[in-house]
């Protein structure tokens, strides 16, 4: 399996522009997570989905952030408009809870390094 | 105050040393306790997990959970330069769903 795939790997944009980050989870996984990592705040959960349905978006910082999961193999995180304080590494992770009695491991993608100038 | 606090480091040790990494937490509902390793410019990878209290050993790595003290530790024996990375503790209340992460401790093992 190719693992969790994220694109782009690097994004540099100017303040006010729209940014879209993409994630393809591991095939068959039913949970998808979006995290943000910064030196100041560490690794923070933004939102997670189960079977394509958003379960907890309490970590989404503000209305400028939105996330969608139109199908089991694709999710997007959009920032509109972007601000310099959004600069961070954004990780997508996926996991499977389909096997009863087994530990539900989260597998992380390589991340998207976002710089907002 | 954060739900999960991790000793900040950074930590620098000579090769072969025993390393101790620690986290404390405030949510008594946490049942699953994980340690992730993150190499520079990579995503975190699960190193070990423990369910409830107790010890778990995997090669040179030992994870300990003391729920009565709300304290978890990761011990690395005979540390190697390849162990140089950031180590993150994480916890969650159920087997699925959200995990809460510590801020990470950066470890450097010098040859």
């Amino acid at each position: 399996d190719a693992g969790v795939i994220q694109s782009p790997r690097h994004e540099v944009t100017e303040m006010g522009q729209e940014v879209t980050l993409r994630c393809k989870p591991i095939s068959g996984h039913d949970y998808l997570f979006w995290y943000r990592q910064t030196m100041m705040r560490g690794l923070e959960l933004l939102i997670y989905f189960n079977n394509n349905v958003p379960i907890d978006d309490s970590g989404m910082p503000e209305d400028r952030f939105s996330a969608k999961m139109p199908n089991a193999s694709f999710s997007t995180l959009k920032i509109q408009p972007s601000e310099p304080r959004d600069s961070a590494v954004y990780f997508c992770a996926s996991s499977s809870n389909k096997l009863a009695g087994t530990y539900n491991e989260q597998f992380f993608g390589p991340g998207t390094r976002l710089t907002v100038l | 105050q954060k739900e999960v606090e991790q000793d900040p480091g950074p930590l620098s040790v000579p090769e072969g040393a025993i390393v101790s990494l620690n986290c404390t937490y405030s949510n008594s509902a946490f049942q699953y306790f994980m340690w992730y390793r993150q190499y520079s410019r990579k995503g975190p990878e699960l190193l070990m997990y423990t369910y409830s209290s107790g010890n778990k050993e995997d090669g040179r790595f030992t994870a300990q959970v003391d729920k009565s003290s709300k304290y978890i530790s990761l011990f690395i024996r005979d540390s190697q330069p390849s162990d140089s990375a950031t180590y993150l503790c994480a916890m969650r209340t159920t087997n699925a769903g959200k995990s809460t992460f510590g801020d990470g401790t950066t470890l450097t093992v010098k040859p």
Side-chain angles (χ1 to χ4, degrees):
Chain A
D1 199 317
V4 176
I5 298 172
Q6 292 187 246
S7 65
R9 293 294 308 277
H10 302 272
E11 177 82 27
V12 180
T13 190
E14 293 189 348
M15 183 173 63
Q17 296 298 305
E18 178 180 295
V19 174
T20 300
L21 310 181
R22 298 172 176 79
C23 175
K24 177 178 169 54
I26 293 172
S27 177
H29 281 191
D30 53 344
Y31 281 85
L32 184 138
F33 306 83
W34 281 102
Y35 291 90
R36 177 173 69 175
Q37 188 174 40
T38 61
M39 290 292 292
M40 291 297 294
R41 300 175 68 90
L43 190 64
E44 304 173 280
L45 177 68
L46 300 177
I47 184 172
Y48 79 93
F49 296 82
N50 178 218
N51 292 321
N52 313 336
V53 176
I55 303 300
D56 185 345
D57 65 354
S58 60
M60 295 287 262
E62 48 199 277
D63 292 346
R64 297 184 298 107
F65 286 69
S66 62
K68 293 182 180 179
M69 193 165 185
N71 57 62
S73 57
F74 184 67
S75 177
T76 59
L77 179 67
K78 187 174 293 187
I79 308 172
Q80 167 63 18
S82 58
E83 296 183 3
R85 59 193 168 119
D86 301 331
S87 297
V89 181
Y90 290 81
F91 288 103
C92 177
S94 71
S95 67
S96 172
N97 196 38
K98 294 177 181 176
L99 292 177
T102 63
Y103 173 69
N104 187 342
E105 179 180 351
Q106 289 186 23
F107 294 85
F108 282 78
T112 295
R113 186 171 295 271
L114 174 65
T115 302
V116 184
L117 303 174
Chain B
Q1 186 180 359
K2 287 189 173 184
E3 222 173 0
V4 177
E5 298 276 2
Q6 184 167 358
D7 289 353
L11 213 52
S12 181
V13 301
E15 184 174 354
I18 296 174
V19 176
S20 172
L21 304 168
N22 308 294
C23 290
T24 57
Y25 63 95
S26 57
N27 186 349
S28 58
F30 285 140
Q31 294 275 36
Y32 292 84
F33 303 91
M34 291 76 73
W35 286 96
Y36 286 80
R37 180 172 59 196
Q38 185 176 21
Y39 290 115
S40 180
R41 296 187 175 265
K42 301 285 187 181
E45 293 177 301
L46 182 69
L47 196 56
M48 297 180 71
Y49 83 93
T50 308
Y51 173 71
S52 193
S53 278
N55 293 358
K56 190 172 186 178
E57 190 173 317
D58 184 2
R60 297 183 294 110
F61 299 87
T62 300
Q64 287 187 352
V65 174
D66 182 349
K67 290 188 72 179
S68 62
S69 301
K70 296 189 177 66
Y71 188 88
I72 72 170
S73 299
L74 177 71
F75 297 95
I76 307 174
R77 292 183 299 281
D78 186 25
S79 56
Q80 302 295 309
S82 58
D83 295 330
S84 298
T86 296
Y87 290 80
L88 301 126
C89 64
M91 308 174 190
R92 61 190 193 215
T93 58
T94 62
N95 191 21
K98 63 189 288 183
S99 296
T100 302
F101 283 79
D103 286 347
T105 301
T106 297
L107 170 68
T108 301
V109 182
K110 297 182 177 180

